[in-house]
Amino acid sequence: MTHLINKVGLPSHLLWGYVGVMLFMVGDGLEIGWLSPYLVEQGLSVQQSAYLFTAYGVTIAVSSWFSGTLFEALGAKKTMFLGVLLYTLGTVGFVGFAIGDLNYPLMLVTYAMRGFGYPLFAYGFLVWIAYRTPQRQLGAAVGWFWFVFTGGLNVLGAYYSIWAIEHLGHHNTLWSALLFIGLGALFALVINRDKIVRQEAKSGTSKWRELLKGITIIKHEPKVGIAGLVRIINQTGQYAFPVFIPTYFAVEYGLSTSAWLSLWGTIFISNIAVNLLSGLIGDRFGWRNTVMWFGGVGCAIFTVVFFYTPALTGGNFLAMQIVGILWGACIAGYVPLSALVPSLVKEDKGAAMAILNLGAGLCVFVGPLLVGLFFDFIGVTGLIWLIAGLHLLGAVLTKFITLPNNAKTATAESSPATAS
């Protein structure tokens, strides 16, 4: 069984950690597709909802950066447990005290606190993978990470919400997130027995030095910084869309909340399936080329096509699903960044991953912020073209992310065994 698990690219010694991440992300992602339109129905404006998610994105960005550097300073399980604790405190404050009365200042504070949670947990585990996986298997291993991450966040969370909202109600659905968070922690931190042997205990000064490396590494290896920018672009649309597209589709084409959640889940079923293929394709044909063409250019095209499909087809739901599947597949084209970035450096992989994780957090901030800043000025259509343009910019930037000693042949970049 262990041989079979390793053969498909999943590190068998980290199996229960992957299970834990998926369960945690179900809890974190169960409201992503419906919370914004629900709050607008309750009385918030689109801009207020956007800024709520922007505050959430700010703390996600900060936490994403710390996920790599705290991993180096504190270790894996302490970093991940801190994420569980902060998420739980934020959820209790947001659901228990803020959302019932639409206390907007308190909603901002508590939902932002909630945002500290998943990056420390999930991205901390991603750094764990980078350290404990042979480079020849790393592309597939991070593909499996994004499979369970997105599977929990955008697929299982969405489909669970369809059932839970009907049978539990909106508030109890939010409370139920804590069940999944607890199960995720159990699998990843207790049942998962894998350990990283640390060479020496770090002094207080050494820990601060590790934290600073999460910034100074950009000076020593600028390509890590470029990769961080591309990572921001990767999911900007994914986090911008739920803020304004469900309301727009409901008004223009009569799409219900359950239909939108079903569509969103379908998009990311495609995404998680192609996450695995993208890692394997990147290992075979080149991480950079996969990100540039499949991710950047592909997402630019299908972001636009996805938006215009209901107008061109009279709101045909099947056509929207088909185009959504293609868009979700192209988002997965960015997966090899998680293998490319740690391979840019011989040491300080945690610091390099901190920049990548910071980019992953910033997209949660940038997506809603774009809506909040530009919704009144360029409208829904303008936002779509802005997001598509960012993907094209990301494709251009990716051209400059070259691996050390890979100028000889394209094959050197394509194979992790020869690229290091």
Side-chain angles (χ1 to χ4, degrees):
M1 183 66 176
T2 298
H3 174 71
L4 178 61
I5 293 172
N6 283 312
K7 190 172 182 180
V8 298
L10 180 62
S12 60
H13 56 286
L14 293 172
L15 174 63
W16 296 118
Y18 281 90
V19 173
V21 168
M22 175 174 277
L23 289 169
F24 189 101
M25 297 314 298
V26 171
D28 182 82
L30 56 85
E31 87 278 3
I32 191 171
W34 58 264
L35 184 59
S36 179
Y38 170 73
L39 292 176
V40 171
E41 288 177 1
Q42 298 305 303
L44 293 189
S45 68
V46 172
Q47 288 85 350
Q48 283 180 312
S49 177
Y51 288 130
L52 176 68
F53 283 91
T54 299
Y56 175 67
V58 169
T59 54
I60 284 179
V62 173
S63 182
S64 297
W65 176 68
F66 276 108
S67 66
T69 51
L70 282 178
F71 183 100
E72 299 284 1
L74 301 179
K77 291 192 175 182
K78 288 181 180 179
T79 299
M80 294 172 70
F81 178 75
L82 183 59
V84 174
L85 179 61
L86 291 171
Y87 184 91
T88 301
L89 291 174
T91 297
V92 170
F94 182 72
V95 184
F97 299 97
I99 195 173
D101 298 326
L102 289 184
N103 185 330
Y104 190 66
L106 187 58
M107 290 170 67
L108 287 171
V109 172
T110 54
Y111 202 62
M113 180 184 292
R114 205 166 178 257
F116 283 112
Y118 91 69
L120 292 179
F121 188 88
Y123 298 152
F125 184 69
L126 181 59
V127 181
W128 194 339
I129 293 170
Y131 268 98
R132 293 284 288 134
T133 305
Q135 194 177 34
R136 66 181 181 277
Q137 190 185 12
L138 187 55
V142 298
W144 277 105
F145 170 82
W146 291 114
F147 176 90
V148 299
F149 180 95
T150 308
L153 181 69
N154 294 114
V155 179
L156 296 179
Y159 285 118
Y160 166 75
S161 288
I162 295 174
W163 174 87
I165 289 173
E166 180 180 352
H167 292 88
L168 303 178
H170 292 86
H171 284 203
N172 287 334
T173 298
L174 290 171
W175 278 121
S176 70
L178 294 179
L179 172 63
F180 293 101
I181 299 305
L183 288 173
L186 175 66
F187 277 96
L189 303 181
V190 179
I191 298 176
N192 172 29
R193 298 292 185 177
D194 186 68
K195 294 182 179 179
I196 296 177
V197 179
R198 307 182 71 191
Q199 294 181 349
E200 59 180 11
K202 296 182 184 293
S203 66
T205 302
S206 297
K207 290 178 180 180
W208 280 109
R209 187 178 297 117
E210 293 294 345
L211 294 177
L212 289 175
K213 283 180 181 178
I215 298 175
T216 59
I217 193 170
I218 297 176
K219 178 180 178 181
H220 301 300
E221 184 48 80
K223 287 181 284 189
V224 172
I226 296 173
L229 292 175
V230 175
R231 185 63 183 86
I232 295 171
I233 293 169
N234 175 188
Q235 291 178 292
T236 291
Q238 179 180 332
Y239 288 100
F241 272 27
V243 178
F244 70 101
I245 287 293
T247 301
Y248 175 78
F249 278 179
V251 172
E252 295 293 325
Y253 306 106
L255 195 70
S256 67
T257 298
S258 60
W260 164 255
L261 289 173
S262 177
L263 175 60
W264 194 250
T266 300
I267 289 168
F268 288 97
I269 287 175
S270 164
N271 179 257
I272 63 173
V274 183
N275 276 343
L276 300 179
L277 295 176
S278 183
L280 296 171
I281 291 169
D283 283 346
R284 181 74 180 274
F285 297 106
W287 298 332
R288 187 181 59 165
N289 288 334
T290 303
V291 172
M292 184 166 52
W293 293 106
F294 189 17
V297 176
C299 279
I301 293 171
F302 284 103
T303 293
V304 175
V305 175
F306 178 72
F307 172 71
Y308 283 108
T309 293
L312 295 174
T313 63
N316 184 283
F317 192 68
L318 178 60
M320 294 169 69
Q321 287 181 310
I322 292 172
V323 175
I325 286 170
L326 296 173
W327 178 57
C330 289
I331 294 173
Y334 287 92
V335 161
L337 274 175
S338 298
L340 182 59
V341 168
S343 300
L344 295 172
V345 295
K346 292 183 178 180
E347 300 177 352
D348 300 323
K349 293 182 183 294
M353 290 298 290
I355 297 299
L356 189 67
N357 293 344
L358 175 61
L362 282 172
C363 65
V364 186
F365 158 73
V366 171
L369 181 63
L370 290 177
V371 180
L373 292 178
F374 296 109
F375 184 82
D376 284 341
F377 298 100
I378 60 178
V380 174
T381 303
L383 283 169
I384 293 297
W385 283 99
L386 176 60
I387 292 167
L390 287 173
H391 281 295
L392 291 178
L393 174 62
V396 173
L397 291 174
T398 304
K399 183 69 176 177
F400 299 96
I401 309 174
T402 55
L403 288 172
N405 302 319
N406 75 326
K408 297 178 182 178
T409 62
T411 305
E413 182 184 0
S414 300
S415 172
T418 60
S420 59

